[in-house]
């Protein structure tokens, strides 16, 4: 064994001894998985300690919108680290928090003029829930303490947002301990039925409901379930009619993933609260932001008892905000969204072509998302998806499935040659994994 491969083996051994991995059956992992041991990641590629290089098909769990280690983001982080790493956002402010607030609110749909910072996507949604609950509690409607969310929705990991989750497998173990949430059919299963069900629910029970929470345009973790913009327009009208807050969770869909900067733009609507994370710092640091309109903000004024008593240690921290400000500059100066339009057409064409494969029951795409369903194999730990993963890895692509859904969500800036390779490998890997079935 060379030194390098001995060192790699040592890391894997330590890892398997000590580290409990997320969303992982650990006995299976220990027995069968040879993990990628990442030593470097740049652009759309992850390098293993053994020298192999993988195209990152999912942009590091959807965070690395501008690719790994974008030189301008790394430089911004280093600059900031030399100056100011941390201060609490409590009687203290700093340029990053202020500049990011201005830039984010300017980029967002109209009316979202205030920003509350938190730690990640889950807390960005948690903040939206708490803001809604406290708003109604102190503005004359304390009975509004239930949420509405979509079947197949995913909003993160804390107990609060687990209640919103509409992926049954993720919610089941915690179901007895969750805040109150009613689930309505997803528009991905039929637009008209979904609108009708929501209308019926609000007509009967709006007085109990604090907010409706949706992932706009695409339900990510449920398997890249794309739906029509018309649903968001209907939802905006219904929320207005019944005076229910509309929360758009753009943690995954924001920052150009679906084409425009925000998925809400497909429908031309503005929510009352918008949640952002993931692309917010381009995968450099964990950070979340919740944008709110005047009505919500004003509902916490006039008496100090009405203040929002919530805040994380790392709220609006200088390192995160400095990087997030630079992310928005890169989007503008490097015309990232223009590049998305061109790449989105390639992704759409490639997935359309894969609809012809015998093992594929459906394909879809939107912006920098392409997905296909493997026929006859359901559930998060479905086997065939992992067989595709193995085939793709042999071909130099890191392609984690969502159960029987094989998808790509590459960095928005992925070079053409890597995008072509990625799309070819998805095609070949699906064929190879399903040939003998
Ligand atoms: C990933 C995700 C979250 C959770 O974000 P974390 O940063 O992992 O906590 C919330 N909502 C949506 C739509 C997501 O895709």
């Amino acid at each position: 064994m060379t030194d390098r491969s001995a060192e790699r083996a040592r890391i894997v051994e330590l890892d398997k001894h000590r580290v409990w991995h997320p969303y992982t059956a650990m006995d299976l992992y220990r027995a069968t998985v040879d993990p990628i041991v990442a030593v470097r990641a740049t652009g759309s590629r992850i390098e293993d300690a053994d020298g192999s290089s993988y195209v990152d098909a999912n942009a590091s769990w959807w965070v690395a919108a501008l690719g790994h280690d974008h030189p301008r983001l790394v430089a911004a982080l280093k600059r900031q680290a030399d100056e100011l790493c941390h201060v609490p956002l409590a009687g203290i402010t700093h340029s990053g928090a202020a500049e990011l607030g201005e830039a984010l609110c300017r980029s967002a749909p109209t009316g979202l003029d205030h920003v509350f910072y938190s730690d990640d996507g889950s807390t960005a949604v948690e903040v939206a829930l708490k803001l809604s609950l406290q708003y109604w509690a102190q503005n004359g409607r304390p009975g509004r303490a239930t949420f509405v969310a979509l079947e197949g929705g995913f909003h993160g990991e804390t107990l609060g947002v687990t209640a919103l989750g509409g992926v049954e497998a993720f919610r089941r173990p915690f179901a007895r301990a969750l805040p109150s949430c009613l689930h309505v059919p997803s528009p991905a299963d039929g637009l008209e039925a979904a609108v009708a069900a929501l209308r019926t629910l609000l007509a009967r029970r709006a007085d109990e409901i604090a907010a409706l929470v949706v992932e706009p345009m695409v339900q990510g973790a449920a398997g890249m379930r794309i739906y029509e913009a018309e649903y968001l327009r209907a939802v905006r009208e219904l929320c207005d009619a019944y005076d229910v807050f509309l929360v758009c969770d753009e943690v995954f869909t924001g920052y150009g993933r679906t084409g425009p900067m925000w998925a809400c733009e497909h429908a031309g609507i503005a929510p009352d609260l918008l949640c952002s994370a993931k692309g917010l710092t381009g995968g450099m640091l964990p950070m979340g932001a919740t944008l709110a309109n005047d009505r919500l903000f004003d509902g916490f004024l006039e008496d100090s008892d009405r203040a929002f008593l919530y805040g994380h240690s790392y709220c609006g921290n200088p390192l995160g905000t400095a990087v997030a400000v630079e992310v928005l500059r890169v989007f503008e100066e490097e015309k990232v969204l223009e590049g998305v339009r061109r790449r989105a057409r390639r992704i759409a064409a490639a997935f359309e072509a894969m609809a012809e494969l015998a093992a594929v029951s459906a394909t879809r795409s939107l912006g920098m998302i392409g997905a296909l369903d493997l026929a006859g194999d359901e559930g998060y730990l479905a086997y065939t998806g992992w067989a595709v993963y193995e085939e793709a890895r042999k071909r130099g692509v890191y392609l984690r499935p969502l159960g029987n859904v094989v998808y790509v969500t590459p960095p928005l800036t992925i070079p053409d040659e890597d995008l072509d390779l990625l799309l070819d490998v998805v095609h070949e890997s699906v064929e190879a994994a399903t040939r003998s079935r």
Side-chain angles (χ1 to χ4, degrees):
M1 243 200 251
T2 63
D3 284 358
R4 206 166 67 169
S5 65
E7 174 59 10
R8 186 183 188 284
R10 196 181 70 86
I11 291 168
V12 172
E13 193 185 320
L14 278 179
D15 171 84
K16 289 197 173 179
H17 189 49
R18 294 291 187 190
V19 183
W20 194 338
H21 285 250
Y23 287 98
T24 300
M26 287 304 296
D27 47 356
L28 209 65
Y29 171 77
R30 283 174 157 175
T32 66
V33 176
D34 176 29
I36 292 172
V37 179
V39 287
R40 203 169 292 103
T42 47
S44 49
R45 291 195 165 251
I46 301 171
E47 260 177 65
D48 191 302
D50 69 8
S52 40
S53 160
Y54 297 92
V55 174
D56 183 357
N58 70 27
S60 233
W61 259 356
W62 319 345
V63 298
L66 299 173
H68 292 274
D69 290 27
H70 190 291
R72 285 185 56 177
L73 304 189
V74 174
L77 180 60
K78 287 181 175 165
R79 260 196 321 271
Q80 187 61 42
D82 278 339
E83 280 171 20
L84 172 68
C85 289
H86 190 272
V87 284
L89 211 57
I92 304 179
T93 190
H94 53 88
S95 68
E99 299 281 5
L100 178 60
E102 173 67 12
L104 255 187
C105 291
R106 280 186 181 281
S107 93
T110 325
L112 296 164
D113 287 335
H114 311 273
V115 61
F116 194 95
Y117 295 120
S118 62
D119 287 359
D120 51 38
S122 304
T123 57
V125 183
E126 191 83 19
V127 165
L129 302 189
K130 284 198 164 183
L131 281 173
S132 310
L133 288 176
Q134 188 174 335
Y135 178 93
W136 293 119
Q138 63 196 20
N139 289 280
R141 309 293 284 276
R144 288 179 172 258
T146 292
F147 299 101
V148 178
L150 302 186
E151 284 165 13
F154 176 80
H155 300 284
E157 309 296 349
T158 61
L159 275 181
V161 302
T162 298
L164 306 175
V167 180
E168 174 60 19
F170 299 163
R171 194 180 58 219
R172 197 185 312 122
F174 316 107
R176 288 161 170 275
L178 299 176
S180 169
C181 182
L182 303 165
H183 287 88
V184 288
S186 163
D189 293 320
L191 174 65
E192 280 166 28
V195 173
L198 180 64
R199 182 179 292 119
T200 305
L201 178 71
L202 293 182
R204 289 200 192 127
R205 300 183 65 173
D207 287 348
E208 298 164 52
I209 294 167
L212 167 70
V213 187
V214 301
E215 292 162 273
M217 298 304 293
V218 48
Q219 298 184 289
M224 300 299 152
R225 307 182 80 224
I226 295 163
Y227 63 82
E228 289 151 88
E230 185 54 35
Y231 181 72
L232 295 173
R233 287 190 283 271
V235 153
R236 181 67 275 180
E237 277 176 26
L238 287 171
C239 285
D240 286 341
Y242 289 98
D243 202 19
V244 164
F245 288 130
L246 173 59
V247 180
C248 281
D249 175 354
E250 295 247 20
V251 170
F252 168 56
T253 54
Y255 283 80
R257 178 54 62 191
T258 71
M261 188 67 178
W262 304 103
C264 290
E265 293 172 35
H266 287 284
I269 61 138
D272 301 288
L273 291 156
L274 183 150
C275 311
S276 179
K278 292 196 170 129
L280 177 66
T281 52
M284 298 286 289
L285 291 158
M287 186 166 162
T290 307
L291 275 56
N293 63 17
D294 279 344
R295 181 184 178 195
L296 270 140
F297 186 81
D298 293 349
F300 289 76
L301 306 180
E302 287 169 18
D303 183 337
S304 54
D305 281 352
R306 290 159 60 88
F308 187 44
L309 299 182
Y310 182 105
H312 294 276
S313 321
Y314 286 84
C315 252
N317 76 88
L319 295 173
T321 52
V323 171
V325 167
E326 191 69 4
V327 167
L328 286 170
R329 287 195 188 121
V330 170
F331 263 79
E332 201 167 305
E333 288 163 24
E334 297 184 3
K335 301 199 172 9
V336 170
L337 297 180
E338 284 175 27
V340 163
R341 279 196 283 280
R342 191 170 50 75
R343 291 181 184 87
R345 284 194 291 273
R346 292 167 105 100
I347 293 175
F351 275 82
E352 261 165 48
M354 286 185 258
E356 306 300 319
L357 295 172
V360 172
S361 59
T363 66
R364 54 200 167 274
S365 63
L366 177 69
M368 292 295 285
I369 305 168
L372 61 84
D373 300 335
L374 296 166
D377 196 4
E378 304 282 318
Y380 183 73
L381 295 170
Y383 171 76
T384 317
W386 291 104
V388 174
Y389 168 89
E390 293 296 343
E391 292 295 339
R393 190 159 162 197
K394 286 186 218 158
R395 294 167 171 81
V397 169
Y398 171 69
L399 184 76
R400 259 183 93 89
L402 287 160
N404 70 324
V405 179
V406 172
Y407 74 95
V408 301
T409 52
L412 309 187
T413 50
I414 185 172
D416 287 345
E417 58 276 19
D418 273 356
L419 183 58
D420 287 345
L421 172 72
L422 167 62
L423 295 169
D424 286 348
V425 166
V426 174
H427 198 129
E428 287 167 20
S429 303
V430 169
E431 274 187 315
T434 56
R435 191 171 292 138
S436 58
R437 282 206 315 189

